[in-house]
Every structure is written in C-alpha cells, then in structure tokens.
Tab-separated table of all heavy atoms in Angstrom:
chain	number	residue	atom	x	y	z
A	1	LEU	N	-64.697	-60.034	-236.926
A	1	LEU	CA	-65.521	-59.536	-235.876
A	1	LEU	C	-65.009	-59.796	-234.479
A	1	LEU	O	-65.054	-58.972	-233.602
A	1	LEU	CB	-66.897	-60.202	-236.011
A	1	LEU	CG	-67.766	-59.756	-237.171
A	1	LEU	CD1	-69.028	-60.686	-237.358
A	1	LEU	CD2	-68.230	-58.332	-236.935
A	2	LYS	N	-64.391	-61.007	-234.348
A	2	LYS	CA	-63.816	-61.366	-233.015
A	2	LYS	C	-62.567	-60.518	-232.764
A	2	LYS	O	-62.332	-60.017	-231.584
A	2	LYS	CB	-63.361	-62.797	-233.054
A	2	LYS	CG	-64.450	-63.776	-232.840
A	2	LYS	CD	-64.063	-65.178	-233.169
A	2	LYS	CE	-62.937	-65.675	-232.155
A	2	LYS	NZ	-62.614	-67.096	-232.456
A	3	THR	N	-61.766	-60.114	-233.771
A	3	THR	CA	-60.607	-59.256	-233.594
A	3	THR	C	-61.119	-57.846	-233.266
A	3	THR	O	-60.474	-57.305	-232.370
A	3	THR	CB	-59.749	-59.255	-234.878
A	3	THR	OG1	-59.324	-60.631	-235.183
A	3	THR	CG2	-58.485	-58.493	-234.603
A	4	LYS	N	-62.023	-57.346	-233.894
A	4	LYS	CA	-62.632	-56.069	-233.582
A	4	LYS	C	-63.119	-55.989	-232.164
A	4	LYS	O	-62.845	-55.058	-231.442
A	4	LYS	CB	-63.733	-55.754	-234.612
A	4	LYS	CG	-64.560	-54.423	-234.256
A	4	LYS	CD	-65.625	-54.165	-235.290
A	4	LYS	CE	-66.600	-53.099	-234.909
A	4	LYS	NZ	-67.504	-53.599	-233.809
A	5	ALA	N	-63.858	-57.073	-231.778
A	5	ALA	CA	-64.362	-57.121	-230.354
A	5	ALA	C	-63.164	-57.182	-229.328
A	5	ALA	O	-63.228	-56.611	-228.347
A	5	ALA	CB	-65.233	-58.338	-230.231
A	6	ARG	N	-62.121	-57.894	-229.721
A	6	ARG	CA	-60.967	-58.003	-228.739
A	6	ARG	C	-60.354	-56.605	-228.635
A	6	ARG	O	-59.969	-56.220	-227.558
A	6	ARG	CB	-59.945	-59.034	-229.365
A	6	ARG	CG	-58.665	-59.078	-228.518
A	6	ARG	CD	-57.680	-60.064	-229.117
A	6	ARG	NE	-57.159	-59.552	-230.467
A	6	ARG	CZ	-56.251	-58.688	-230.524
A	6	ARG	NH1	-55.647	-58.126	-229.589
A	6	ARG	NH2	-55.801	-58.337	-231.825
A	7	PHE	N	-60.163	-55.899	-229.759
A	7	PHE	CA	-59.592	-54.584	-229.688
A	7	PHE	C	-60.512	-53.682	-228.700
A	7	PHE	O	-59.978	-52.943	-227.779
A	7	PHE	CB	-59.613	-53.837	-231.030
A	7	PHE	CG	-58.316	-54.117	-231.799
A	7	PHE	CD1	-58.364	-54.777	-233.027
A	7	PHE	CD2	-57.197	-53.574	-231.366
A	7	PHE	CE1	-57.151	-54.901	-233.803
A	7	PHE	CE2	-55.953	-53.687	-232.096
A	7	PHE	CZ	-55.963	-54.453	-233.302
A	8	GLU	N	-61.825	-53.695	-228.944
A	8	GLU	CA	-62.645	-52.773	-228.233
A	8	GLU	C	-62.780	-53.187	-226.710
A	8	GLU	O	-62.878	-52.308	-225.835
A	8	GLU	CB	-63.991	-52.792	-228.876
A	8	GLU	CG	-63.980	-52.133	-230.260
A	8	GLU	CD	-65.279	-52.204	-231.048
A	8	GLU	OE1	-66.134	-53.105	-230.712
A	8	GLU	OE2	-65.434	-51.445	-231.992
A	9	SER	N	-62.796	-54.515	-226.460
A	9	SER	CA	-62.893	-54.916	-225.051
A	9	SER	C	-61.664	-54.693	-224.287
A	9	SER	O	-61.668	-54.627	-223.066
A	9	SER	CB	-63.320	-56.440	-225.000
A	9	SER	OG	-62.247	-57.220	-225.540
A	10	SER	N	-60.495	-54.604	-224.892
A	10	SER	CA	-59.201	-54.412	-224.240
A	10	SER	C	-58.868	-52.971	-224.122
A	10	SER	O	-57.844	-52.664	-223.411
A	10	SER	CB	-58.003	-55.201	-224.964
A	10	SER	OG	-57.888	-54.639	-226.206
A	11	LEU	N	-59.562	-52.042	-224.723
A	11	LEU	CA	-59.235	-50.684	-224.800
A	11	LEU	C	-59.078	-50.015	-223.414
A	11	LEU	O	-58.043	-49.394	-223.159
A	11	LEU	CB	-60.225	-49.881	-225.555
A	11	LEU	CG	-59.905	-48.508	-226.076
A	11	LEU	CD1	-58.643	-48.493	-226.954
A	11	LEU	CD2	-61.063	-47.906	-226.843
A	12	ILE	N	-60.051	-50.322	-222.575
A	12	ILE	CA	-59.920	-49.677	-221.137
A	12	ILE	C	-59.058	-50.524	-220.221
A	12	ILE	O	-58.183	-49.955	-219.556
A	12	ILE	CB	-61.322	-49.523	-220.589
A	12	ILE	CG1	-62.174	-48.456	-221.442
A	12	ILE	CG2	-61.373	-49.078	-219.125
A	12	ILE	CD1	-63.612	-48.280	-221.058
A	13	PRO	N	-59.252	-51.915	-220.180
A	13	PRO	CA	-58.293	-52.702	-219.251
A	13	PRO	C	-56.875	-52.515	-219.612
A	13	PRO	O	-55.941	-52.573	-218.771
A	13	PRO	CB	-58.779	-54.067	-219.393
A	13	PRO	CG	-60.195	-54.005	-219.923
A	13	PRO	CD	-60.273	-52.748	-220.752
A	14	SER	N	-56.531	-52.359	-220.944
A	14	SER	CA	-55.160	-52.310	-221.326
A	14	SER	C	-54.842	-50.865	-221.905
A	14	SER	O	-54.020	-50.763	-222.821
A	14	SER	CB	-54.883	-53.331	-222.391
A	14	SER	OG	-55.137	-54.648	-221.866
A	15	GLY	N	-55.392	-49.824	-221.364
A	15	GLY	CA	-55.232	-48.508	-221.909
A	15	GLY	C	-53.799	-48.040	-221.960
A	15	GLY	O	-53.377	-47.300	-222.851
A	16	HIS	N	-53.012	-48.492	-220.998
A	16	HIS	CA	-51.584	-48.101	-220.900
A	16	HIS	C	-50.811	-48.644	-222.095
A	16	HIS	O	-49.983	-47.949	-222.593
A	16	HIS	CB	-50.989	-48.562	-219.566
A	16	HIS	CG	-50.971	-50.070	-219.343
A	16	HIS	ND1	-52.146	-50.785	-219.201
A	16	HIS	CD2	-49.963	-50.886	-219.229
A	16	HIS	CE1	-51.807	-52.043	-219.121
A	16	HIS	NE2	-50.546	-52.207	-219.019
A	17	ALA	N	-51.138	-49.911	-222.510
A	17	ALA	CA	-50.508	-50.455	-223.699
A	17	ALA	C	-50.858	-49.636	-224.937
A	17	ALA	O	-49.968	-49.423	-225.852
A	17	ALA	CB	-50.869	-51.904	-223.809
A	18	TYR	N	-52.083	-49.273	-225.155
A	18	TYR	CA	-52.487	-48.442	-226.334
A	18	TYR	C	-51.800	-47.075	-226.282
A	18	TYR	O	-51.343	-46.561	-227.300
A	18	TYR	CB	-53.999	-48.239	-226.251
A	18	TYR	CG	-54.687	-49.520	-226.778
A	18	TYR	CD1	-55.238	-50.412	-225.925
A	18	TYR	CD2	-54.887	-49.791	-228.163
A	18	TYR	CE1	-55.958	-51.470	-226.315
A	18	TYR	CE2	-55.655	-50.872	-228.610
A	18	TYR	CZ	-56.122	-51.748	-227.679
A	18	TYR	OH	-56.721	-52.873	-228.136
A	19	VAL	N	-51.644	-46.478	-225.058
A	19	VAL	CA	-50.995	-45.192	-224.901
A	19	VAL	C	-49.547	-45.322	-225.289
A	19	VAL	O	-48.911	-44.539	-226.049
A	19	VAL	CB	-51.168	-44.597	-223.492
A	19	VAL	CG1	-50.188	-43.432	-223.268
A	19	VAL	CG2	-52.619	-44.205	-223.316
A	20	ARG	N	-48.875	-46.436	-224.811
A	20	ARG	CA	-47.503	-46.692	-225.115
A	20	ARG	C	-47.269	-46.808	-226.618
A	20	ARG	O	-46.370	-46.285	-227.238
A	20	ARG	CB	-47.019	-47.990	-224.405
A	20	ARG	CG	-45.534	-48.345	-224.663
A	20	ARG	CD	-45.330	-49.817	-224.383
A	20	ARG	NE	-46.143	-50.633	-225.232
A	20	ARG	CZ	-46.698	-51.757	-224.861
A	20	ARG	NH1	-46.484	-52.217	-223.592
A	20	ARG	NH2	-47.408	-52.522	-225.608
A	21	ASN	N	-48.126	-47.644	-227.270
A	21	ASN	CA	-47.999	-47.820	-228.714
A	21	ASN	C	-48.161	-46.523	-229.466
A	21	ASN	O	-47.428	-46.256	-230.430
A	21	ASN	CB	-49.126	-48.862	-229.209
A	21	ASN	CG	-48.759	-50.277	-228.783
A	21	ASN	OD1	-47.643	-50.611	-228.339
A	21	ASN	ND2	-49.698	-51.110	-228.943
A	22	ARG	N	-49.124	-45.766	-229.073
A	22	ARG	CA	-49.419	-44.461	-229.813
A	22	ARG	C	-48.209	-43.523	-229.517
A	22	ARG	O	-47.843	-42.796	-230.414
A	22	ARG	CB	-50.666	-43.883	-229.208
A	22	ARG	CG	-51.223	-42.698	-229.985
A	22	ARG	CD	-51.864	-43.247	-231.280
A	22	ARG	NE	-52.420	-42.093	-232.066
A	22	ARG	CZ	-53.007	-42.301	-233.203
A	22	ARG	NH1	-53.275	-43.513	-233.643
A	22	ARG	NH2	-53.428	-41.279	-233.905
A	23	LEU	N	-47.686	-43.501	-228.329
A	23	LEU	CA	-46.588	-42.678	-228.064
A	23	LEU	C	-45.354	-43.018	-228.893
A	23	LEU	O	-44.663	-42.270	-229.580
A	23	LEU	CB	-46.181	-42.802	-226.561
A	23	LEU	CG	-45.232	-41.849	-225.871
A	23	LEU	CD1	-45.680	-40.453	-226.068
A	23	LEU	CD2	-44.963	-42.224	-224.517
A	24	HIS	N	-45.029	-44.348	-228.947
A	24	HIS	CA	-43.908	-44.829	-229.727
A	24	HIS	C	-44.157	-44.676	-231.219
A	24	HIS	O	-43.146	-44.581	-231.941
A	24	HIS	CB	-43.642	-46.267	-229.407
A	24	HIS	CG	-43.067	-46.512	-227.954
A	24	HIS	ND1	-42.719	-47.682	-227.487
A	24	HIS	CD2	-42.803	-45.517	-226.975
A	24	HIS	CE1	-42.244	-47.603	-226.250
A	24	HIS	NE2	-42.280	-46.307	-225.962
A	25	ALA	N	-45.408	-44.682	-231.651
A	25	ALA	CA	-45.614	-44.537	-233.036
A	25	ALA	C	-45.208	-43.314	-233.637
A	25	ALA	O	-45.021	-43.155	-234.866
A	25	ALA	CB	-47.194	-44.748	-233.365
A	26	GLY	N	-45.102	-42.256	-232.770
A	26	GLY	CA	-44.650	-40.958	-233.234
A	26	GLY	C	-43.109	-40.738	-233.149
A	26	GLY	O	-42.589	-39.676	-233.434
A	27	LEU	N	-42.373	-41.802	-232.749
A	27	LEU	CA	-40.950	-41.670	-232.445
A	27	LEU	C	-40.047	-42.573	-233.274
A	27	LEU	O	-38.933	-42.283	-233.430
A	27	LEU	CB	-40.750	-41.915	-230.908
A	27	LEU	CG	-41.441	-40.919	-230.053
A	27	LEU	CD1	-41.368	-41.391	-228.528
A	27	LEU	CD2	-40.843	-39.529	-230.136
A	28	THR	N	-40.498	-43.819	-233.587
A	28	THR	CA	-39.640	-44.802	-234.353
A	28	THR	C	-40.502	-45.517	-235.345
A	28	THR	O	-41.760	-45.609	-235.249
A	28	THR	CB	-39.090	-45.844	-233.382
A	28	THR	OG1	-40.050	-46.685	-232.867
A	28	THR	CG2	-38.300	-45.215	-232.252
A	29	THR	N	-39.767	-46.082	-236.343
A	29	THR	CA	-40.433	-46.876	-237.364
A	29	THR	C	-41.093	-48.161	-236.731
A	29	THR	O	-42.258	-48.485	-236.989
A	29	THR	CB	-39.437	-47.309	-238.430
A	29	THR	OG1	-38.895	-46.156	-239.033
A	29	THR	CG2	-40.137	-48.176	-239.513
A	30	ALA	N	-40.338	-48.852	-235.847
A	30	ALA	CA	-40.865	-50.050	-235.203
A	30	ALA	C	-42.123	-49.713	-234.421
A	30	ALA	O	-43.136	-50.487	-234.435
A	30	ALA	CB	-39.880	-50.700	-234.235
A	31	GLY	N	-42.136	-48.543	-233.711
A	31	GLY	CA	-43.388	-48.157	-232.991
A	31	GLY	C	-44.506	-47.846	-233.890
A	31	GLY	O	-45.620	-48.140	-233.557
C-alpha cells in the first residue's frame, strides 16, 4: 500500500522521470 501510494503521489511532481522511463522503455532492454 505504501509503495502504491508513493507511485501515485510522485506521478505529477516527478512526471518528467516517468516520461523518461516510458520513452526509454521503447528503445532499450535496460529502459
């Protein structure tokens, strides 16, 4: 529950990190 809440609470403040991860996920195995 705490991990789920951490994900959801960081979604807007750290949106650029989520976009970067999603971008890289379509380009490399590590991503």
Side-chain angles (χ1 to χ4, degrees):
L1 287 169
K2 286 169 61 178
T3 303
K4 171 178 169 289
R6 178 183 62 83
F7 269 117
E8 293 174 341
S9 63
S10 66
L11 195 60
I12 295 176
S14 301
H16 61 297
Y18 283 95
V19 168
R20 179 201 62 215
N21 287 347
R22 193 74 180 181
L23 190 62
H24 290 182
L27 298 169
T28 68
T29 299

